[in-house]
Amino acid sequence: MTNELLSFNDKNLWTHISNLYSTQGGVYKVIAARNNVRIPIKRFLGTDQEGILYIGKATSFIDRVIDLKKSISPDYIGTSHICGRRYKSLPNVSKIFPFEILHIELIFSATPEQLEKDLLSKYKYNYGEVPPLNAI
């Protein structure tokens, strides 16, 4: 079961996150999707049907997602998030996965470090590598 996708392009993103999670955190996934349909991404050992570009953790979704959105948005120069630095340093990535199709999926967890580790391990087991923006 997957959680609702929230668009980075949505002007009400902060309100949605605040209403859903207040100051809580957990794990988040950056997802490529068009019209709420996830874009499959070919990986070393198969195709990721979920369209996951990055998996990260946050003690507070609001704080971390603000940094993330600013770092990947074409309207900001911010580099406070490693995912955004990687996204902007690889022009072909932003060409194939433009800002307008980037979404975030939030998964509440009282132990975000462990959940992030588990999700990255599972991803690597399934595809032979971590999501593309987690490492270069």
Side-chain angles (χ1 to χ4, degrees):
M1 181 91 185
T2 57
N3 294 322
E4 177 185 0
L5 293 181
L6 302 173
S7 173
F8 279 112
N9 214 21
D10 183 352
K11 293 186 185 338
N12 296 313
L13 178 62
W14 314 129
T15 303
H16 294 312
I17 294 172
S18 181
N19 289 342
L20 291 168
Y21 297 98
S22 184
T23 59
Q24 296 176 327
V27 170
Y28 57 93
K29 298 176 185 178
V30 176
I31 306 284
R34 280 194 180 89
N35 301 318
N36 247 4
V37 176
R38 293 166 185 249
I39 299 170
I41 300 172
K42 293 182 193 250
R43 307 301 294 151
F44 184 60
L45 296 179
T47 300
D48 169 14
Q49 297 295 330
E50 289 187 61
I52 299 171
L53 296 169
Y54 184 83
I55 297 172
K57 66 181 180 305
T59 54
S60 166
F61 285 132
I62 285 287
D63 295 337
R64 195 65 177 146
V65 174
I66 286 170
D67 288 342
L68 176 57
K69 180 177 179 175
K70 286 180 179 178
S71 71
I72 62 173
S73 173
D75 298 332
Y76 291 92
I77 301 173
T79 59
S80 62
H81 197 290
I82 188 67
C83 176
R85 287 197 301 271
R86 289 178 179 149
Y87 178 79
K88 285 184 174 175
S89 71
L90 301 165
N92 285 335
V93 172
S94 59
K95 186 185 299 182
I96 294 170
F97 301 104
F99 180 76
E100 295 75 26
I101 70 163
L102 298 181
H103 294 74
I104 192 155
E105 178 182 20
L106 306 174
I107 306 162
F108 168 75
S109 174
T111 57
E113 295 85 3
Q114 187 60 50
L115 181 57
E116 178 196 39
K117 182 180 176 184
D118 293 346
L119 290 173
L120 286 169
S121 292
K122 181 180 175 186
Y123 194 97
K124 188 172 182 180
Y125 176 82
N126 288 335
Y127 303 111
E129 57 193 329
V130 295
L133 294 175
N134 276 93
I136 295 178

